[in-house]
Amino acid sequence: MTRPNGGDLLVETLRGLGVDTVFGIVSVHNLPLVEAVDRDLRFVPVRHEAAAVNAADGYARATGRLGCALTSTGTGAGNAAGSLIESLSSGTPVLHVTGQIDSAYLGSGRGFIHETKDQLGMLRAVSAHAVTVTDAESAGDLLRDAAARALTAPHGPVSVEWPIDLQFAPQRLTGTPVPPPAAPALPDAALLDEAAALLSAARRPLLWAGGGANTARPEVAALLDALNAGLVTSNSGRGAVPESDERVLGNYATAPAGRALLAEADVLLTIGTHFRSNETADYALELPATHLQIDLDPAAPGRVYPATVALHGDASAVLAALLGRVTSGSTEKSWPGRVREASTAARAAQRHAIGPQAAINDAIRDACPPGSVIARDVTIPSSTWGNRLLEITDPATNVFPRGGGIGQGLAMGIGAALGRPGTPTVVIAGDGGLAVHLGELLTLAQEKPDLTLLVFNDGGYGVLRNMQDNHFPRRSGVDLATPDFALLAAATGLPYARIAAEADAGPVIKEATTTPGPTLVEIDLTALGPMNTPFTPPVKLPAATDTRAEGGNPS
């Protein structure tokens, strides 16, 4: 029998955390790790290191467990950097283990194969924490500490660079568990009393759920009941309370109906939200004067909007403490009806704006059970109805790039689908975003998850095209060559279907989601027809003016 090495240590650590799937690319500088994972767990050989981290990220979001990605050193680790930024932005627990050259040559600058200058510094810049294995004896403690850091709220990716000689070095497996995270302290009792008094006296209360509310779903629902309140969400907080609930306005804060509801509310309690610029109209969105803010980050309250009462702590614990203090009965009887009215109006307005794409939205929700992951790349369908109208009932199914980077959706969907076998996953992508990581179609074909890939084909970067058409005299870099998706699917061994009319949406998506394995569905936007209201993102262009009259609008 061979003695255990670093790969066996990694497997032992992951098994103790319930992790059964790891994503990565094999290299001469991570062979022991890949070999052990492939032998004892499931190793998914993606085609790009960025996709490894994205897939681990999607797996973590869909399962609630740690995601794990393996990459090579140097260029391989650098390729993963952009996706680590996404995990950092979203606060996803990801363990990124990357190879490193032999420890004897580390930092010598000799140009050793796969060596790069200050790899650890690069990883520290894009990770919540990064560390180097410096000797075999401390590898186990270091690896367990890295996993614990990733799993400690507010979470984030932790990178471990592991010299190849120390990966091969013998290890003693001890079965030592990863230490559980310590529970954060509750806010001062006087602050809780003050917040509870304001909530109890509210006539028109609203809650705003961000991503931090997703671990406090029972408490959020109970507070809605206690206060007879309405619920606004950020994109990340969707599903904290199922969007089928009539009290949920959802991710429509900046819609006219959402703005009007916020203007009428007299108290707003926000729970774990970043108030991202694209969800607050570049911070121009007005909130009620009485604003209570719960956040695990002590620097968050008041950072974007003034906080009347700042409550630092875990959302579940803080909400439970508030529930023990609030009294009900002050809410205006007409307020729940007003919330329902705003919710209905916001959704109706968007259905009209997206025109024929409403049929796609309805077909996805009709075909997929509530536990289906809906993974969305950055594309017009996602930025309009996918992030708002497409009903979400569980935050674990709400997978999207929170940092806004294009091209990450397919790999995130693959990771989520493999984390939830037996439940169909849908990925919404554009032709431009899909092209960023086209190679992951081969991963999809090889691993065969129950995943339906919906490719919205408009021949380029539609979001930026609309911006240029609105503000500039000509288009630049937005019209792209698009493959024949039927031939592309055939070349990669994927079943193919096409939607060219609203009537196609229901039967095509139903068949794709109920057929085992993956299917590529092309949505021909030229044939389907335009939205009633062209989408431009809520991004200000300070130096841009509408110069179409000077140069003419492109045809």
Side-chain angles (χ1 to χ4, degrees), residues 78-310:
N79 284 344
S83 297
L84 288 168
I85 291 173
E86 165 56 31
S87 295
L88 185 63
S89 176
S90 64
T92 308
V94 170
L95 178 64
H96 167 228
V97 183
T98 186
Q100 185 53 284
I101 66 172
D102 295 77
S103 57
Y105 303 115
L106 191 60
S108 64
R110 300 185 183 195
F112 199 93
I113 185 172
H114 294 177
E115 180 184 12
T116 189
K117 178 183 177 182
D118 192 16
Q119 176 172 288
L120 184 62
M122 175 191 70
L123 294 172
R124 283 174 172 160
V126 295
S127 306
H129 181 69
V131 68
T132 306
V133 176
T134 56
D135 58 76
E137 291 72 24
S138 63
D141 288 341
L142 188 148
L143 197 62
R144 288 185 288 271
D145 178 71
R149 287 174 181 266
L151 289 165
T152 300
H155 308 298
V158 174
S159 293
V160 177
E161 58 170 13
W162 204 337
I164 185 60
D165 57 314
L166 300 180
Q167 293 177 41
F168 276 112
Q171 288 288 335
R172 186 170 64 89
L173 304 183
T174 62
T176 304
V178 171
L186 276 172
D188 183 79
L191 288 175
L192 290 167
D193 290 341
E194 181 183 359
L198 290 169
L199 289 170
S200 299
R203 303 283 290 162
R204 297 175 300 281
L206 279 180
L207 276 57
W208 180 316
N214 292 338
T215 57
R217 297 174 68 195
E219 292 81 6
V220 173
L223 192 59
L224 283 179
D225 289 337
L227 299 175
N228 220 3
L231 180 67
V232 179
T233 74
S234 67
N235 202 0
S236 299
R238 297 181 65 204
V241 172
E243 291 180 336
S244 54
D245 191 311
E246 61 184 11
R247 299 170 297 181
V248 179
L249 174 70
N251 187 26
Y252 283 104
T254 57
R259 290 175 184 266
L261 194 67
L262 283 164
E264 295 173 43
D266 58 355
V267 174
L268 175 68
L269 172 66
T270 61
I271 308 161
T273 182
H274 288 159
F275 295 115
R276 297 181 188 274
S277 60
N278 61 318
E279 294 173 335
T280 59
D282 282 348
Y283 317 116
L285 181 69
E286 294 186 10
L287 301 188
T290 303
H291 171 213
L292 320 177
Q293 187 171 3
I294 300 173
D295 207 287
L296 194 60
D297 179 359
R303 181 164 53 199
V304 179
Y305 288 96
T308 309
V309 181

Side-chain angles (χ1 to χ4, degrees), residues 432-479:
L434 183 65
V436 174
H437 287 301
L438 208 57
E440 300 315 317
L441 289 177
L442 296 171
T443 305
L444 186 62
Q446 180 169 317
E447 298 300 318
K448 295 180 173 56
D450 291 330
L451 186 152
T452 298
L453 172 60
L454 302 179
V455 183
F456 288 76
N457 182 7
D458 64 357
Y461 299 135
V463 173
L464 292 165
R465 179 190 290 145
N466 288 347
M467 290 181 70
Q468 290 180 5
D469 287 355
N470 279 351
H471 298 290
F472 296 91
R474 60 188 300 274
R475 293 178 180 174
S476 303
V478 296
D479 296 317

Side-chain angles (χ1 to χ4, degrees), residues 15 30 86 169 179 186 224 351 393 423 451 459 463 496 507:
R15 271 183 169 164
N30 65 16
E86 165 56 31
L186 276 172
L224 283 179
R351 289 187 70 86
T393 59
T423 304
L451 186 152
V463 173
Y496 167 84

